Amino acid sequence: MITEALLPLLLKSEAGRIVNQSSALGSIQFQLSNELVQQIAPPAYATSKAALNMLTTYWAQKNNNTHLKVNSVHQA
C-alpha cells in the first residue's frame, strides 16, 4: 500500500498529511437514510468507499500521537 511505503517520510515531515478521496456513498448512515442513493449507488462502489473510510480511521488512530494529519474528503 502506498500509505505504508510513504509513512516514514510523512512522519519526518513537519506537515505530513494523508488525504483520501471518499464519497458520501461510503457512509452507512447516508445509505440507510436515503432511498434514492440505494437505487443509484453500485454496491461495489459504496462498499469500497466505506472500506476507505475505515482505512482513514485506522491511519488516524495509529498516528494519533504524531503531528501527521489523516483525513477523508468528499466533493459535492
Side-chain angles (χ1 to χ4, degrees), residues 41-51:
Y45 180 81
T47 302
S48 71
K49 292 303 180 177

Side-chain angles (χ1 to χ4, degrees), residues 59-74:
W59 286 115
Q61 289 177 343
K62 185 171 178 148
N63 294 285
N64 188 36
N65 295 322
T66 71
H67 58 274
L68 182 65
K69 299 204 183 307
V70 183
N71 295 292
S72 184
V73 297
H74 163 76

